[in-house]
Amino acid sequence: MWWLWTAYAVSTAGTWLAFDAFPMIAILVLDAGPAQVSALAAAGLAVGAVLAVPLGPWVEVRRKRPVMIAMDLIRFAAVLSVPVAFAFGLLGFAQLLVVSVVVVAADITFGAASGALVKALARPEELLRVNGRFEATTWTASALGPPLGTAALGVFGPVITVVTNGISFALSAFALRMVRSEPAPVRSGAARFRFADLVEGWRFVLADPVLRPLFCNTLLVNGLIMAMSPPFAVLMLGELGFAPWQYGLAFGVACLGGLIGSRLAHPLVARFGRHQVMVTAGALRACWSVGLAFVQPGAGGLVLVIGVELMLILCAGVFNPVFATYRLDRVPKDRVVRVLSAWSISGKATTAALTALWGVLAGFVGARAAIIVAGLLLLATPLLLPRRDTSV
């Protein structure tokens, strides 16, 4: 597990160092507006998700480590094409779109294979601690990466963090080569690929009385939060005149809440029970985003952003490892990749659709009004959380 965690930590650090790198490049280098920035995010997610659909069944019956290494190398090549094109003055909006598509498809496949490998390597009683450790790593990288990345962007230029992200994928591939104990994949059903395998992940999720509401809830919460991101970036960096380092600092400091939340997840579950913690944290994480609509210029506005995002991320930091463990517990080993792929593909597609919609909405009513609408809709999402505790 150590080398698997190392690979995850390295690639996560690189990804968060390059936090919002493509939107920032689009804004600062290509003079893109709210609609274009939203289109960049939406198109990459949507097309990448479609390309990832057949990969879930294909990965399910193969060892996960070689697949993860291949995805790392694909992301390495795709991401580093951006600074190369920039250096020669050839970088354009179309290339950012293509790279976004490739990275999204590889991300989905890597994440699904990673989840299956975690379940295969970790004992059931260790899953929550392992997922908590991964979650803590995510939020540590989230806290440190954006401020460091935006500071580096200001000093070294707009593509430096993209270079670092590409290198992190190469280092992740090297760490994964050191994982030696992967068991043989669990095989079930027909030996040959069937069309039904493409939808098996969705079929399993939608038939489960607990996973189904969690599926709908996580899609909408994550989609609405991400849909707010491009309008909010334009609001802070454009209309309100905040510097890129302030934008990164606000998110980075707030991510300390995720680190705290991930550390609290295990003791909270031990005291109150997994279902209660998951539902309570899941409801609370939807309550804060509407506050971002009231940001004003200056130090007070920056403090408000940090406070709102800190509380949102604290609640998400508790929810995510508990939810991830609950989901892995309910899914058989021979369906993990297909379920996680279906979940991730649906999440990317939902986020793409909502991001595109909110880009159009922001173009008509302004970034601030679009943020208010998303924040109000988030307040209704706790209704989709499972009410009954159906233990595995």
Side-chain angles (χ1 to χ4, degrees), residues 228 283-293 307-313 315 375 378-379:
M228 294 170 63
L284 288 175
R285 82 195 199 283
C287 297
W288 307 101
S289 294
V290 69
L292 295 176
V308 168
E309 293 190 340
L310 177 68
M311 294 307 300
L312 187 159
I313 293 170
C315 298
L378 277 166
L379 294 176

Side-chain angles (χ1 to χ4, degrees), residues 232-308:
F232 187 65
V234 172
L235 178 66
M236 280 197 73
L237 297 172
E239 296 179 25
L240 299 181
F242 286 97
W245 70 266
Q246 292 174 308
Y247 178 73
L249 177 66
F251 186 77
V253 172
C255 285
L256 293 174
L259 178 60
I260 297 169
S262 63
R263 293 296 186 183
L264 290 174
H266 190 272
L268 286 173
V269 167
R271 181 170 182 179
F272 299 105
R274 183 167 63 176
H275 180 80
Q276 185 62 45
V277 172
M278 182 174 66
V279 171
T280 301
L284 288 175
R285 82 195 199 283
C287 297
W288 307 101
S289 294
V290 69
L292 295 176
F294 303 99
V295 174
Q296 298 298 327
L302 192 60
V303 170
L304 176 61
V305 174
I306 292 173
V308 168

Side-chain angles (χ1 to χ4, degrees), residues 4 23-24 70 73 86 108 110 132 150 189 215 245 247 257 287 360 375 384:
L4 179 59
M24 285 190 180
L73 295 178
F86 177 79
I108 292 172
F110 183 95
T150 48
F215 179 70
W245 70 266
Y247 178 73
C287 297
V360 174
L384 294 172

Side-chain angles (χ1 to χ4, degrees), residues 54-111:
L55 294 177
W58 180 79
V59 174
E60 191 81 77
V61 296
R62 286 166 174 79
R63 292 187 183 272
K64 310 307 181 286
R65 185 179 66 93
V67 172
M68 294 168 67
I69 292 173
M71 294 304 107
D72 269 335
L73 295 178
I74 288 171
R75 292 186 291 183
F76 167 77
V79 165
L80 285 186
S81 72
V82 172
V84 170
F86 177 79
F88 287 96
L90 300 175
L91 182 63
F93 193 77
Q95 182 177 353
L96 290 181
L97 281 174
V98 171
V99 173
S100 295
V101 167
V102 172
V103 170
V104 167
D107 282 347
I108 292 172
T109 306
F110 183 95

Side-chain angles (χ1 to χ4, degrees), residues 44-60 67 71 100-113 193 197-199 202 337-349:
L45 290 173
V47 181
V50 170
L51 292 178
V53 169
L55 294 177
W58 180 79
V59 174
E60 191 81 77
V67 172
M71 294 304 107
S100 295
V101 167
V102 172
V103 170
V104 167
D107 282 347
I108 292 172
T109 306
F110 183 95
F193 174 81
D197 290 330
L198 293 176
V199 298
W202 285 280
V337 172
R338 282 173 287 180
V339 167
L340 295 184
S341 293
W343 208 297
S344 184
I345 289 166
S346 300
K348 302 290 187 187

